[in-house]
Amino acid sequence: MNGADSIIKCLEAEQVEYVFGYPGVAICPFYNSILDSDIQSILIRTEQNAAHAASGYARTTGKVGVCAVTSGPGATNLITGIATAFADSIPLVCITGQVNSELLGSDVFQEADITGAVESFVKYSYLVKNVADIPRIFKEAFYIANSGRKGPVLIDIPIDIQNATVKGFKYPETITMRTYKPTVKGNVVQMKRVIHELEKAKKPMICVGGGVFLADAREAFTAFVEKHQIPVVYTMMGKGVLPTRHPMNLGMVGNNGKPYANRAMNESDLLIMVGARVADRAISQPDLIFKNKVLIHIDVDPAEIGKNAGATVPLVGDAKCIFEDLNALDFKTEYSVWLETVNLYRTNMSKSRVPKHDYVDPAIFIEELSNQMQEDAIYVADVGQNQIWSCNYHIVKQGRFLTSGGMGTMGYSIPAAMGAKIGCPDRQVIAVCGDGSFQMSMMELATMVQHNVPVKIIVLKNTVLGMIRQYQHFT
């Protein structure tokens, strides 16, 4: 067995089924070894899309997405995909080939310091220097990627390490990292403070983000909301935590959100932020919005709490654990008057569109598309005007809504939809993009044909980069 064989054994131990990538000389030993395993290699057409496809796979299956590319330009092409995953906290293990260990730092052909280049876009990175370290490194990488605040981990492996002989391969059964121990259970004292504030509140509101999906907390969160009848708004990444037509769902907040959702959030006396970063697209003026109200911020990453807004009650922990614990506690709440108020806002402030008959109105089209989609369908929106229309008008039933929220990466939808369909072959998957974003990743149509991945693709064509044109001419 050589180092490349050892990597495959590690992936098999982690029950990896697919690797998205593109081979090159520095990663060839790995791709030679994968042929002798049951792991399927998905040949994408450009490296950035390997990370996007792995992201779509990870977001829909709950597993870690894996991608593998070569050194130099292969690795640097991957950076945008890694940054996109990092911004949205998607668990990936990204494997890059590297030049011979003894040549590192000498600027040889296709050498790039990829661990240094991605430092600000990964949870952690490894440069493998000893073939015996491969099992430990992969065990740690999968654990880091899929625990705490999830995210991408990069493993850079020189070609001589891939070819080196392995003696006595053994994959670790357990892992203990002294310097990495994410908090999962919510602090008991802080939980009591949350309950105390909920009992006092008259106009509570929950703002939910993508962290609820990442924690697999949808069921526990929904049970909490329905039990206490608290209205919910969401960030772009939190769309679909509650079905669109759920009575407690008020809609998306932020510059591109629903006016009544923003108003309700502004007028609340208690705001619970769950798995959301308090980022500018959702809350552009945190000091103004959080003035004169209690802010409870629940997040698995302590660095996010207090970063953009000071929390009255900070609560660090996994959203699923926290809401399961809250659901097990008996306390009384009464918000019926507030619910009547926010529902009145929804009725009176809803905007009706008057479509013109000389073109397809995208809002009406997306609503009708949603009605025709299957209950558990996966809708992947790209970036641009199509993303805003999708966020506002796509109706989530029991499915998922995916998009690039934090980084806003054009060209995300097609490879991400491909990864989602590979991960969930029995579910309907639809990618919606503009003609600009379609052209950024249309080469992946070849990948879908090669690997028989039946994704439905809808292109909203307006012959311009619509959002950029709108910004240039109308702001």
Side-chain angles (χ1 to χ4, degrees):
M1 181 187 292
N2 63 17
D5 298 329
S6 176
I7 297 168
I8 300 302
K9 291 293 183 185
C10 295
L11 298 183
E12 290 173 338
E14 293 291 342
Q15 299 181 328
V16 172
E17 297 177 283
Y18 300 95
V19 172
F20 303 89
Y22 202 98
V25 169
I27 196 68
C28 267
F30 169 85
Y31 273 99
N32 290 340
S33 294
I34 206 171
L35 295 173
D36 297 324
S37 75
D38 292 329
I39 298 172
Q40 186 174 353
S41 171
I42 306 296
L43 178 67
I44 47 74
R45 272 26 183 201
T46 188
E47 289 88 356
Q48 173 178 318
N49 292 338
H52 293 336
S55 169
Y57 177 88
R59 293 174 72 173
T60 51
T61 64
K63 302 175 183 178
V64 176
V66 180
C67 53
V69 301
T70 194
S71 65
T76 56
N77 280 350
L78 191 66
I79 291 177
T80 298
I82 294 174
T84 301
F86 182 79
D88 293 334
S89 304
I90 310 303
L92 303 183
V93 168
C94 306
I95 304 167
T96 55
Q98 184 55 276
V99 301
N100 257 296
S101 301
E102 61 187 24
L103 299 177
L104 286 170
S106 57
D107 295 330
V108 295
F109 179 67
Q110 290 195 336
E111 180 191 359
D113 177 16
I114 191 62
T115 54
V118 301
E119 184 177 356
S120 60
F121 296 126
V122 292
K123 279 191 74 175
Y124 200 72
S125 64
Y126 295 89
L127 173 60
V128 184
K129 298 179 180 179
N130 188 327
V131 70
D133 292 336
I134 287 176
R136 173 187 61 80
I137 286 173
F138 271 81
K139 185 71 174 180
E140 290 180 2
F142 275 85
Y143 173 64
I144 293 169
N146 209 29
S147 62
R149 180 176 181 174
K150 301 180 182 184
V153 175
L154 181 125
I155 306 176
D156 194 33
I157 310 177
I159 188 170
D160 57 310
I161 301 296
Q162 295 176 58
N163 285 321
T165 301
V166 173
K167 298 179 180 178
F169 174 86
K170 184 179 180 182
Y171 197 65
E173 294 182 5
T174 58
I175 184 169
T176 301
M177 299 181 68
R178 183 172 56 85
T179 57
Y180 178 71
K181 296 184 182 296
T183 301
V184 175
K185 297 286 287 183
N187 181 275
V188 174
V189 174
Q190 295 300 85
M191 296 273 280
K192 289 180 179 179
R193 290 182 65 192
V194 170
I195 293 170
H196 176 68
E197 296 296 346
L198 282 167
E199 289 173 332
K200 283 198 317 178
K202 302 296 183 185
K203 300 185 291 183
M205 181 71 63
I206 300 177
C207 181
V208 62
V212 173
F213 285 116
L214 294 164
D216 191 25
R218 257 172 118 179
E219 188 175 328
F221 175 79
T222 302
F224 176 81
V225 168
E226 291 177 345
K227 179 180 179 181
H228 296 285
Q229 295 289 288
I230 304 174
V232 175
V233 294
Y234 56 81
T235 67
M236 184 179 289
M237 298 304 292
K239 182 177 176 66
V241 170
L242 289 181
T244 301
R245 288 174 173 156
H246 192 286
M248 292 296 111
N249 189 346
L250 274 185
M252 191 173 79
V253 291
N255 296 335
N256 299 302
K258 302 292 186 184
Y260 49 84
N262 285 320
R263 179 174 179 180
M265 184 175 70
N266 292 345
E267 292 184 4
S268 64
D269 60 3
L270 168 66
L271 180 61
I272 304 176
M273 300 285 297
V274 185
R277 295 182 294 131
V278 196
D280 59 313
R281 287 186 92 181
I283 298 174
S284 58
Q285 297 176 294
D287 292 340
L288 182 63
I289 291 172
F290 298 138
K291 189 177 181 181
N292 300 323
K293 64 165 57 75
V294 173
L295 173 62
I296 298 171
H297 197 170
I298 301 172
D299 204 288
V300 74
D301 183 2
E304 286 298 337
I305 299 177
K307 185 172 79 175
N308 295 324
T312 312
V313 183
L315 181 54
V316 178
D318 179 85
K320 184 176 183 179
C321 290
I322 286 172
F323 283 105
E324 285 178 343
D325 289 346
L326 286 172
N327 289 336
L329 298 172
D330 187 27
F331 60 98
K332 302 295 183 183
T333 55
E334 170 54 49
Y335 310 125
S336 56
V337 175
W338 173 234
L339 272 176
E340 290 177 8
T341 302
V342 297
N343 284 326
L344 191 64
Y345 291 164
R346 174 161 39 196
T347 301
N348 294 339
M349 297 176 69
S350 293
K351 295 180 179 179
S352 57
R353 292 175 69 95
V354 181
K356 297 179 180 179
H357 298 294
D358 53 348
Y359 64 88
V360 175
D361 184 279
I364 294 174
F365 171 80
I366 288 170
E367 284 185 347
E368 185 57 32
L369 171 67
S370 302
N371 290 329
Q372 298 294 328
M373 289 170 64
Q374 296 173 4
E375 284 288 315
D376 65 346
I378 299 166
Y379 182 113
V380 189
D382 218 288
V383 171
Q385 286 178 327
N386 67 87
Q387 184 186 51
I388 306 306
W389 290 325
S390 295
C391 287
N392 277 292
Y393 298 103
H394 171 54
I395 300 163
V396 182
K397 301 167 189 173
Q398 298 300 321
R400 284 292 305 271
F401 176 86
L402 307 182
T403 193
S404 168
M407 191 59 60
T409 305
M410 281 181 68
Y412 175 81
S413 65
I414 292 176
M418 178 173 65
K421 184 64 176 179
I422 289 171
C424 303
D426 297 329
R427 294 172 69 177
Q428 187 182 65
V429 179
I430 296 178
V432 176
C433 50
D435 47 347
S437 55
F438 172 75
Q439 292 176 78
M440 284 191 166
S441 55
M442 63 184 182
M443 73 288 289
E444 300 308 334
L445 296 178
T447 309
M448 292 182 190
V449 171
Q450 178 184 355
H451 295 284
N452 191 26
V453 184
V455 170
K456 299 180 187 297
I457 300 173
I458 294 166
V459 181
L460 300 175
K461 178 185 175 184
N462 57 8
T463 69
V464 294
L465 299 177
M467 185 167 282
I468 305 306
R469 178 180 179 273
Q470 183 178 335
Y471 179 82
Q472 288 176 320
H473 292 274
F474 301 111
T475 58

